[in-house]
Amino acid sequence: MTLAEYLRRQNAAIVLLVDIDYDTADPIRLSTLPYITEPGDSDANVLFAPVVAKRGLPRLSQRLRDVWGGLAVASWGDLPLVSHRVNHNGTERNLATESLRGRSLRLRITGPRSLVPYSEARTIFIGRIAEATARSDGSLRLTLEDTSAAWLDAVLPPARYDAAAMPPGFPASNDGKPRPMVVGKVAHARPALIDATNHIYEFDAYAGAGNVTVHSMYDNGAAVAFTDNGDGTVTLVNPPSGVITGTPEVTLTNGTNTNEEWQIAEHLLTTYGGVTTFNHWTSGVTGSAAYAGVYLSERTTLGEVVGRIARGMFGWCAMAPDGSVSLQALDVPAAGGPTITAAQRLGDVEWRDLPTRYNRIPVLYERNDAPRDTVAASVGLDFGAYLQSEGNEGAAEDAADITTRGLLEAPRMTTPYLTPDLAYSNSVSAANRALALLSSDRRRVSFAVAWAAWNWDYGLGDSLTLDGTPVDGDYLITAFERTRVGGIAAIRIEAVG
Amino acid sequence: MPRTGNLIIGGRDKVSGATLGAGSAAATLPVTNLATQAPAEVWRTTSAAPADTYITADFGGLTLIDLVSLIAHNLTQGAGQWRIRLSQDGPIGPVDSPGVALEYDSGWMNAWPVVEPFGVLPWGEFRWGGQLTSDEAAALVISEHHVLEQGVLAQYLRIDLDDAGNADGYLQAGRLFVSPVWQTAVNFDRQWDIQVQDDSVRQRSAANVVYSEPMPQYRILRLALSWMDQGEAFVQAMDLDWRQGVTGEIVIIPRPDDTDYLYFTALYGQIARSQPIKNRRAPGYYGREYTIEELR
C-alpha cells in the first residue's frame, strides 16, 4: 500500500520518523510509534526508538505575510521527547550529554511498516536543531529550524578588494570595498575602477574568464569605445569624463544563460547559499534571452537579493518541507488543486472580506538602471531625464490595461519595487498579475483540515477549491500551519479567493 | 507440566544482568535488546535457519529460575517452536549435543498461545487450533510464558527457536524475561478486572466524519490480595515493591491453570501505582491492591 493510499484512511496511524544527523552514516533514529525496518529496506534492520512524545508532532507554520514581502515567513515548533536516553543500534545513547545544537535533522511521516513500505516515507522537514532543553524528569525538547538561516544571511558579494593584490593603478579609496558581481544581464551598471592609470573597470570578479561579456559602455550616458577583457573587466579606449556605466552579462560556467529570475536565484542560492535543491514555478513569467539580471556592488545578503528578485516578479521564496528552496510567482486563484469538503474540515470556516485599501496598492516597476546626476551633452533629453530619474518608475503606469484599472489614483510609491527584468514587457506582466489579484474584491478564509484528509502534494502558493461552505470557490493558499484540533493532527489553511 | 494454582508474579528479572549471546543478530538489532524494557526494541536474527536462532544467557552464578517469558516474538503460528534448557556447568550447545549436564530441558514447545478455546466462537468464525491469524497477530503482542513446575538453580540458559520457514526470513523477539516467581499462598480476590486501554483520540469533521489517531493499545490488570500473612506481605509483596517500584517490570500470570485464556490475562508490564500494604481486620493478614499496566 502506498502512503497516499494509507493516509486516506480516517484512522491512519501516522508514524513520525526522526533522523538526527540524517546526512551522516550513523543517524540517530527516533519515532512516535514503534517502527523497525525490514532487512530489504534501504536502511536495513533499523530501530526507530519510539521516544517522541505521542502528540509531539512539531508545529510548522509558513505564511505569506505580505504579498510584497518576497520571502515567506516560516516558524517551527518543538519536538518533545519523553526520554533523552535512546536505543541506538543496541547501545544506549544519552542525548542529554551530547551537543545537539546545529545537528541536522529530518522528519518523515509514514504508516506502520507492516502496511506501508519504508520507501514510501515522506519527508516533511529538513533542517537542524536550533536548541535542546533537557529536564531532570528525563525528557528532552528539541527546537527545530529550517536551513534558511544558512542562506538568508550569506553575504554578497563575498569578496573584497585587496589593494596589495591589485594592479599598481588600483585606487586606494577602493581598498576593502566589495568586488562587484553580475548574474544575468544588467543595463547601465556602474563598475568598480581597478586601474586608474589604464582606465580598467571591473563588473564581475566571480564568473571566471569566458563567462562574462560586456555589451556596451557609457560615459555619462554616451556610448564609448572599450575593450572587453573577457574576465569581467573592460578597458576604456579614452580617459573617462563622467559616470561610467555599462551593460555586462554573465552566463553560467556551463554556458547556460541566466536569463530568468529563477535562474538567477538558483545560481545564487546554490553557489553562495549551500542550497542543494531549488524548485521554481513562475506562473508564465519567463524572460526573453538575457533579459534579467542583478548587479551587486554593495554589501548585502543573499536573502535580501533573493527577496528582491521574488518581489520583482511578484512572487515569494521559501524553504519547502523537503529542504529545497522554492521560488514561486503569485497569481490569481485558479481552479484546480485539492477540493476541500465538509467531510475533511475539522475547524469551522472563518472568512473576512479584505479592506479596500488592500486592493489599491500601486504597482510600480523599476528597471535595473543606475541613476546619475549628469548626462553627456550628446544624450537626448528624454533619455537623459530617464537616466537622472530613479529609473523607469512610471513606465508600467502607461500600459493601457493598468490604466483602466484605476492605478493612477496613486501613481507613485515611496519605495518602488525593483525588478531584475530588463524587459519592459516582463515588468508589465508581473504588474498585471499583481493587479489581477489585488484590484478586485478578495476574501480571506481560514479553516482546518484533518491531517489524514490533506493532500500532501499541495502547500503554500497552490490553488485549492472550497466546497460545501458559504464561501465556495477557488483560493490561493497563503498560510499553512500544522496544528491540532480536538487532539487530532490537522492542517490549518489560510487562503485568498 | 506447567505450574498450576494461584497467582504468579515474576519480579526479579535476571536477564538485564546476564551476559547474552545469540546464534546471530542484525548489527543494528543486537541480542542485548532482549534486556531492554520496551518490547518494541527487538533482537533480530540474520536468518531463520535454526543455527542462527538461539539465545544464550550466562547469569554469572547460580540463580533460581521459575519463569521464562519470550515477549513480542514473530514465530509462526503452528510451526514456530521454542525449547528451554538450563545448566549449572557451562554454556549449553545445540539440541543434539549440549556438551554439558542439563538441569532442565523443556522439550520443544509451541511458541504460539492458544487464544480461543474450541467452541467459544460459532462455526465459520472460530480460529482453527484456537490461534490467531497472522493479520490479527500483527496488531497484538505475541508472547509465550513458561513456568517451570519447580524452580531450577542454574547459571546457563539456552533457548532454541525453530521456525526455519518463517516468511519474514528472520526471527525476532522484544524481551526475554527470566525470573524466580512469587506464587501467592491465597489467590487474589474475586473482584478483579482487566481492560484494554485505548488512548486514541477522535474528532468529528464538519460533516460528522470521524477522524482518529490510533495509539497502540495496552492492557490494565487490577486485582487485590487480601490474605497475605506477615511473611508473604513483607518478604514477597514489599520486596517486589522495593525491587520494581513503578518503573521496573514484572510478568504476572493471574490464572496459571487456565491455559485456554492465559494469553488474555498474563501480561508483561509495570506496577502502575505505589499502594500500601494494609493490615486487614483479620489478625495477622495483610492486603495490597495492584494495578498492572502492560508494556509494549
Side-chain angles (χ1 to χ4, degrees):
Chain A
M1 181 188 313
T2 66
L3 179 62
E5 290 169 340
Y6 180 70
L7 290 181
R8 286 192 203 114
R9 298 180 177 186
Q10 284 78 19
N11 63 342
I14 300 171
V15 183
L16 179 74
L17 303 180
V18 182
D19 306 278
I20 299 174
D21 301 333
Y22 79 94
D23 47 359
T24 70
D26 189 29
I28 301 169
R29 318 275 195 178
L30 315 173
S31 64
T32 48
L33 298 173
Y35 192 92
I36 304 174
T37 61
E38 293 293 316
D41 291 340
S42 55
D43 297 313
N45 296 316
V46 167
L47 165 72
F48 288 77
V51 297
V52 179
K54 60 184 178 181
R55 291 173 190 167
L57 298 179
R59 189 177 66 86
L60 154 69
S61 169
Q62 280 189 309
R63 183 177 301 272
L64 300 177
R65 187 173 288 168
D66 177 359
V67 292
W68 310 107
L71 297 175
V73 178
S75 67
W76 287 90
D78 293 338
L79 180 69
L81 310 182
V82 295
S83 171
H84 50 68
R85 295 186 306 169
V86 299
N87 185 326
H88 179 65
N89 298 335
T91 59
E92 181 191 281
R93 191 147 172 181
N94 189 343
L95 297 180
T97 64
E98 300 187 22
S99 176
L100 295 171
R101 218 182 82 75
R103 302 261 286 271
S104 67
L105 184 141
R106 175 176 63 179
L107 301 179
R108 291 175 291 172
I109 56 166
T110 187
R113 181 60 189 85
S114 58
L115 299 175
V116 180
Y118 180 63
S119 57
E120 286 285 313
R122 177 168 186 155
T123 300
I124 60 169
F125 173 78
I126 283 182
R128 58 191 180 188
I129 300 169
E131 204 173 300
T133 307
R135 296 182 184 278
S136 55
D137 64 1
S139 67
L140 182 66
R141 183 172 294 273
L142 304 180
T143 303
L144 312 181
E145 65 179 7
D146 62 32
T147 55
S148 59
W151 59 266
L152 281 172
D153 298 334
V155 174
L156 289 179
R160 292 176 178 274
Y161 282 116
D162 177 6
M166 300 304 291
F170 183 76
S173 59
N174 279 352
D175 189 20
K177 290 184 176 176
R179 299 190 71 163
M181 170 186 286
V182 173
V183 185
K185 184 178 180 181
V186 294
H188 303 290
R190 193 178 299 187
L193 178 63
I194 59 172
D195 188 341
T197 307
N198 299 302
H199 324 306
I200 300 175
Y201 292 81
E202 184 169 61
F203 283 106
D204 182 273
Y206 308 92
N211 298 308
V212 190
T213 304
V214 178
H215 296 285
S216 52
M217 293 296 295
Y218 304 92
D219 187 342
N220 271 347
V224 294
F226 68 100
T227 300
D228 183 355
N229 300 319
D231 60 354
T233 67
V234 294
T235 304
L236 297 187
V237 174
N238 300 308
S241 61
V243 175
I244 298 300
T245 56
T247 304
E249 180 178 8
V250 165
T251 57
L252 302 183
T253 52
N254 63 3
T256 304
N257 286 335
T258 44
N259 294 341
E260 302 181 35
E261 289 93 338
W262 71 267
Q263 290 173 319
I264 298 168
E266 179 178 35
H267 173 69
L268 291 173
L269 286 164
T270 55
T271 307
Y272 302 103
V275 172
T276 54
T277 311
F278 176 85
N279 302 307
H280 75 98
W281 173 68
T282 53
S283 183
V285 179
T286 56
S288 304
Y291 267 2
V294 293
Y295 180 60
L296 306 173
S297 58
E298 295 181 358
R299 300 287 267 192
T300 183
T301 62
L302 181 53
E304 199 283 324
V305 175
V306 173
R308 189 202 311 169
I309 291 172
R311 278 199 304 273
M313 58 184 273
F314 192 57
W316 56 276
C317 181
M319 296 294 296
D322 63 359
S324 64
V325 176
S326 182
L327 178 69
Q328 295 197 23
L330 283 165
D331 211 339
V332 292
T339 298
I340 305 298
T341 67
Q344 295 164 281
R345 293 198 317 274
L346 291 183
D348 289 339
V349 175
E350 178 184 302
W351 69 93
R352 67 186 176 95
D353 292 331
L354 299 172
T356 306
R357 59 184 171 80
Y358 188 83
N359 302 326
R360 294 295 181 186
I361 295 173
V363 180
L364 302 172
Y365 276 82
E366 177 186 63
R367 282 180 59 177
N368 190 7
D369 293 334
R372 67 226 61 191
D373 298 329
T374 58
V375 295
S378 60
V379 175
L381 286 178
D382 287 348
F383 187 49
Y386 158 66
L387 288 176
Q388 288 176 308
S389 75
E390 290 297 317
N392 205 17
E393 293 176 21
E397 300 165 27
D398 296 335
D401 51 351
I402 293 178
T403 305
T404 58
R405 294 172 192 270
L407 190 69
L408 292 177
E409 280 181 18
R412 296 183 66 86
M413 290 185 68
T414 306
T415 306
Y417 286 98
L418 187 71
T419 174
D421 267 306
L422 280 176
Y424 173 68
S425 58
N426 282 350
S427 296
V428 172
S429 167
N432 280 335
R433 275 190 296 109
L435 287 166
L437 180 65
L438 301 175
S439 65
S440 60
D441 287 344
R442 293 293 169 192
R443 178 167 282 169
R444 187 184 294 277
V445 298
S446 171
F447 57 93
V449 180
W451 170 289
W454 178 246
N455 186 324
W456 289 88
D457 291 330
Y458 294 92
L460 207 60
D462 287 328
S463 294
L464 67 79
T465 302
L466 274 182
D467 184 19
T469 73
V471 286
D472 287 351
D474 299 324
Y475 290 84
L476 191 73
I477 300 173
T478 56
F480 177 96
E481 180 181 11
R482 191 154 59 231
T483 182
R484 303 195 76 83
V485 175
I488 297 295
I491 305 296
R492 184 170 297 284
I493 304 288
E494 281 185 16
V496 170
Chain B
M1 176 69 71
R3 195 180 307 194
T4 59
N6 297 335
L7 167 72
I8 289 175
I9 298 176
R12 298 184 192 182
D13 174 44
K14 301 298 180 183
V15 174
S16 56
T19 302
L20 297 176
S24 70
T28 50
L29 300 171
V31 70
T32 50
N33 278 354
L34 287 173
T36 64
Q37 198 171 67
E41 299 176 356
V42 302
W43 156 68
R44 180 178 288 176
T45 65
T46 56
S47 82
D52 287 337
T53 60
Y54 65 87
I55 307 160
T56 62
D58 179 351
F59 301 111
L62 291 180
T63 189
L64 181 63
I65 295 170
D66 294 279
L67 168 70
V68 179
S69 296
L70 193 63
I71 313 293
H73 65 71
N74 75 327
L75 272 71
T76 312
Q77 178 184 20
Q81 293 189 307
W82 66 323
R83 183 169 182 165
I84 303 163
R85 289 176 296 157
L86 298 167
S87 171
Q88 295 182 352
D89 295 343
I92 305 167
V95 170
D96 51 3
S97 55
V100 292
L102 297 176
E103 301 301 319
Y104 180 78
D105 185 347
S106 69
W108 287 108
M109 302 178 291
N110 197 326
W112 265 63
V114 173
V115 296
E116 175 200 318
F118 184 76
V120 171
L121 292 178
W123 179 263
E125 293 183 19
F126 70 87
R127 306 173 178 95
W128 283 105
Q131 293 173 321
L132 295 168
T133 67
S134 297
D135 287 344
E136 291 168 323
L140 302 171
V141 176
I142 299 300
S143 304
E144 264 304 290
H145 306 283
H146 181 72
V147 185
L148 281 61
E149 193 171 1
Q150 290 185 326
V152 172
L153 276 174
Q155 180 177 345
Y156 302 96
L157 163 79
R158 174 164 167 144
I159 298 175
D160 287 275
L161 306 177
D162 187 356
D163 190 12
N166 192 296
D168 290 336
Y170 56 79
L171 302 187
Q172 70 178 27
R175 180 73 162 100
L176 175 64
F177 193 89
V178 178
S179 172
V181 299
W182 164 31
Q183 186 162 29
T184 58
V186 178
N187 216 349
F188 55 91
D189 297 350
R190 288 179 183 275
Q191 290 186 328
W192 65 285
D193 65 75
I194 188 168
Q195 75 178 76
V196 175
Q197 180 70 25
D198 189 344
D199 293 331
S200 307
V201 290
R202 304 161 74 242
Q203 176 74 18
R204 289 184 182 276
S205 76
N208 265 340
V209 175
V210 175
Y211 290 89
S212 56
E213 284 188 23
M215 299 294 295
Q217 297 170 329
Y218 58 97
R219 289 173 289 171
I220 302 175
L221 172 68
R222 298 181 194 84
L223 52 78
L225 299 171
S226 297
W227 300 102
M228 293 185 287
D229 63 20
Q230 185 165 281
E232 192 173 25
F234 294 129
V235 177
Q236 296 287 7
M238 184 172 281
D239 180 75
L240 182 66
D241 286 340
W242 275 119
R243 289 176 184 276
Q244 303 302 340
V246 295
T247 61
E249 60 270 60
I250 66 170
V251 168
I252 184 166
I253 304 174
R255 302 195 300 178
D257 289 352
D258 192 358
T259 54
D260 283 351
Y261 294 100
L262 189 73
Y263 167 75
F264 292 100
T265 56
L267 60 86
Y268 165 71
Q270 285 181 319
I271 299 172
R273 281 186 287 279
S274 293
Q275 297 270 56
I277 296 172
K278 295 181 179 176
N279 178 227
R280 313 298 294 180
R281 289 172 185 266
Y285 287 100
Y286 295 81
R288 191 199 191 286
E289 295 173 352
Y290 287 95
T291 299
I292 313 297
E293 291 184 354
E294 186 175 25
L295 289 167
R296 291 200 59 169

